[in-house]
């Protein structure tokens, strides 16, 4: 079967350039059909996403175990995060996933204007997410909650010294010095996980900028949707990571 | 002849694959995800208590509910936004194997962590 296919392909190649008219210009010659090309690239994209699952999976596992070991420190560390900003960012990111999905639909139905609009909205929502993240990081810096660079245990040795958080969580007891130290581990994981997520957002936004330029030139509305479709998979994956980061870092330590 | 049939079947399969998901479905999923987000924030403000399954084994409902809602949101994104519901069997198998490998990572690590000091507490 495979031999006969090879023979028929080389026969076609010997016949010269005449077969170029038989397939769309975006079909690479090592694929037999456009569908096969689409499936192969789609499969490859999913394999890449599996490596990403294992990469973030390691961080999630570390968080799970550290939270069990140093539970009081992780609870009081988590109380420093703003549920308002976390919820707002979750909504922004979900909305950006929707605009991205609509972008894929626009490419599939060959609507150039709608595609450029959807990609631009996704681009802007991505920047809004990073802007909110910057507000949060800035607050951590001001309160000396950046491990290794600008760190102080004061909020955890004496919760009353941090009146803003203390009024929301009056039940927080002063931690023993050895446990208070472990809040640094919470913030290390917080910055590692949200930082890696933010890095993925920055990469995604950069690719989006490139795609907007290409889409304006009509690149993805010719029936060749692979690039938009596969970038959409990446963007939705980054959304899923946040869907888990949000409850684990912000919410589950309220009670 | 048989090759011809095979190609024909493949073509038919591909016609079903190239499903364009309608904006209505995307909109419904968006609303479901936003409702899920509201629900998980609301649930975090309530003390849902705990379930003592056995001595030394307790299920805390707050994190359990938060993770259940997050998993539901993930499934919605994967099936509809990422088109896995309409994808080839190969893609479905790939996604499932990714989830399985991730559960092995979590499961084996936690099994080790829980059983290191078995009987010595």
């Amino acid at each position: 079967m495979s031999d006969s296919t090879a023979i028929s392909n080389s026969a076609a190649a010997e016949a010269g350039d005449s077969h170029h008219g038989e397939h769309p210009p975006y079909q690479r010659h090592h694929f037999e059909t456009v569908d096969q090309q689409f499936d192969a690239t789609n499969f490859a994209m999913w394999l890449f996403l599996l490596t990403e699952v294992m990469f973030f999976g390691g961080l999630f596992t570390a968080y799970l175990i550290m939270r069990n070991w140093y539970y009081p420190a992780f609870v009081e560390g988590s109380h420093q995060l703003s549920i308002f900003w976390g919820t707002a960012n979750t909504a922004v990111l979900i909305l950006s996933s929707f605009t991205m999905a609509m972008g894929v639909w626009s490419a599939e139905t060959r609507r150039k204007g709608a595609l450029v609009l959807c990609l631009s909205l996704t681009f802007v929502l991505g920047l809004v997410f990073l802007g909110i993240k910057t507000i949060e990081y800035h607050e951590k810096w001001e309160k000396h909650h950046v491990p290794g660079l600008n760190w102080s245990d004061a909020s955890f040795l004496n919760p009353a010294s941090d009146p803003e958080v203390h009024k929301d969580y009056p039940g927080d007891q002063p931690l023993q010095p050895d446990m208070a130290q472990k809040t640094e581990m919470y913030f290390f994981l917080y910055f590692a996980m949200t930082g890696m997520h933010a890095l993925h957002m920055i990469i995604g936004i950069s690719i989006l900028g490139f795609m907007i330029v290409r889409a304006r030139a009509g690149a993805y509305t010719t029936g060749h949707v692979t690039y938009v479709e596969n970038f959409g998979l990446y963007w939705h994956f980054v959304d899923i990571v946040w869907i888990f980061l949000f409850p684990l870092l912000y919410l589950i330590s309220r009670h | 002849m048989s090759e011809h049939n095979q190609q024909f079947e493949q073509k038919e399969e591909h016609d079903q694959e190239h499903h364009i998901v309608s904006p209505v479905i995307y909109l419904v999923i968006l609303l479901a995800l936003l409702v899920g987000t509201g629900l998980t924030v609301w649930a975090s403000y309530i003390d849902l208590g705990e379930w003592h399954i056995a001595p030394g084994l307790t299920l805390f409902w707050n994190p359990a509910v938060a993770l259940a809602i997050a998993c539901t949101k993930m499934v919605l994104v994967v099936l509809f936004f990422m088109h896995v519901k309409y994808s080839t069997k190969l893609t479905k198998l790939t996604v499932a194997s990714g989830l399985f490998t991730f559960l092995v990572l979590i499961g084996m690590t936690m099994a080790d962590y829980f059983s290191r000091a078995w009987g010595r507490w």
Side-chain angles (χ1 to χ4, degrees):
Chain A
M1 167 65 204
S2 62
D3 278 348
S4 65
T5 311
I7 289 165
S8 67
N9 277 350
S10 63
E14 279 166 19
D17 280 352
S18 61
H19 68 295
H20 264 262
E22 294 163 17
H23 66 77
Y26 50 79
Q27 187 192 327
R28 309 276 183 199
H29 283 178
H30 50 277
F31 291 112
E32 288 191 6
T33 62
V34 170
D35 286 332
Q36 189 196 42
Q37 175 174 308
F38 180 87
D39 288 349
T41 45
N42 197 246
F43 176 55
M45 191 64 203
W46 272 106
L47 287 184
F48 166 67
L49 291 184
L50 293 202
T51 69
E52 290 272 71
V53 167
M54 295 311 277
F55 171 69
F56 279 100
L59 287 169
F60 279 109
T61 310
Y63 180 78
L64 189 65
I65 288 174
M66 290 294 176
R67 187 173 185 271
N68 271 294
W69 278 350
Y70 310 126
Y71 182 75
F74 271 55
V75 167
E76 291 202 11
S78 166
H79 288 175
Q80 292 285 334
L81 302 190
S82 158
I83 290 185
F84 171 76
W85 285 126
T87 310
N89 247 356
T90 309
V92 167
L93 211 53
I94 286 173
L95 212 57
S96 83
S97 255
F98 170 73
T99 55
M100 189 61 229
M102 288 304 295
V104 172
W105 176 80
S106 309
E108 283 169 338
T109 54
R110 305 187 186 207
R111 292 164 212 256
K112 190 173 135 187
L115 174 64
V116 172
L117 176 70
C118 286
L119 293 179
S120 304
L121 283 173
T122 313
F123 183 88
V124 169
L125 287 167
L127 286 178
V128 170
F129 179 92
L130 288 178
I132 292 178
K133 210 72 222 143
T134 309
I135 294 172
E136 291 186 277
Y137 280 2
H138 181 68
E139 193 214 352
K140 300 286 165 291
W141 181 265
E142 287 195 320
K143 292 180 80 173
H144 311 291
H145 288 162
V146 184
L149 292 174
N150 184 358
W151 179 256
S152 158
D153 290 345
S155 309
F156 314 105
L157 290 168
N158 178 18
S161 71
D162 194 346
E164 279 172 50
V165 174
H166 195 56
K167 82 176 152 44
D168 288 336
Y169 300 94
D172 280 4
Q173 299 299 316
L175 295 175
Q176 295 299 313
D178 59 338
M179 186 54 84
Q181 265 185 348
K182 302 302 184 213
T183 52
E184 199 170 359
M185 180 55 80
Y186 171 82
F187 280 103
F188 173 75
L189 282 168
Y190 167 78
F191 278 103
M193 295 166 97
T194 59
M196 267 306 149
H197 180 264
L199 179 66
H200 279 77
M201 295 287 297
I202 291 167
I203 293 169
I205 289 168
S206 312
I207 298 173
L208 267 170
F210 165 77
M211 283 168 66
I212 291 167
V213 174
R214 296 259 296 137
R216 284 166 61 95
Y220 309 115
T221 37
T222 55
H224 186 37
V225 298
T226 307
Y227 201 97
V228 179
E229 164 83 20
N230 284 350
F231 177 79
L233 292 181
Y234 173 82
W235 194 259
H236 298 312
F237 168 78
V238 175
D239 184 28
I240 290 174
V241 171
W242 183 260
I243 284 176
F244 282 95
L245 284 180
F246 172 55
L248 290 176
L249 292 171
Y250 289 75
L251 297 178
I252 58 174
S253 299
R254 274 201 62 94
H255 286 286
Chain B
M1 178 63 202
S2 71
E3 194 186 332
H4 184 83
N5 271 346
Q6 213 170 7
Q7 279 179 348
F8 179 73
E9 278 166 33
Q10 272 178 355
K11 190 170 163 32
E12 220 174 27
E13 206 180 293
H14 280 299
D15 285 342
Q16 289 170 345
E17 271 166 36
H18 272 263
H19 186 102
I20 296 177
V21 184
S22 94
V24 180
I25 291 181
Y26 287 147
L27 202 61
V28 170
I29 299 302
L30 169 71
L31 291 177
L33 291 172
L34 289 175
V35 168
T37 305
L39 207 61
T40 192
V41 173
W42 176 69
S44 78
Y45 278 85
I46 302 164
D47 192 351
L48 298 170
E50 56 207 52
W51 176 29
H52 298 284
I53 304 167
L57 188 62
T58 309
L59 179 71
F60 294 93
W61 283 115
N62 278 90
V65 166
L67 282 175
I69 293 173
C71 289
T72 311
K73 286 162 78 181
M74 175 193 73
V75 168
L76 289 177
V77 172
V78 167
L79 285 184
F80 296 98
F81 280 0
M82 298 171 97
H83 306 151
V84 168
K85 186 176 189 292
Y86 313 99
S87 292
T88 55
K89 281 182 181 142
L90 176 65
T91 303
K92 285 178 178 141
L93 183 69
T94 311
V95 176
S97 66
L99 192 66
F100 175 74
T101 321
F102 175 68
L103 290 177
V104 169
L105 170 72
I106 296 270
M108 297 299 251
T109 312
M110 293 313 279
D112 178 36
Y113 164 62
F114 279 122
S115 59
R116 276 286 168 98
W118 199 265
R120 284 194 272 133
W121 46 68

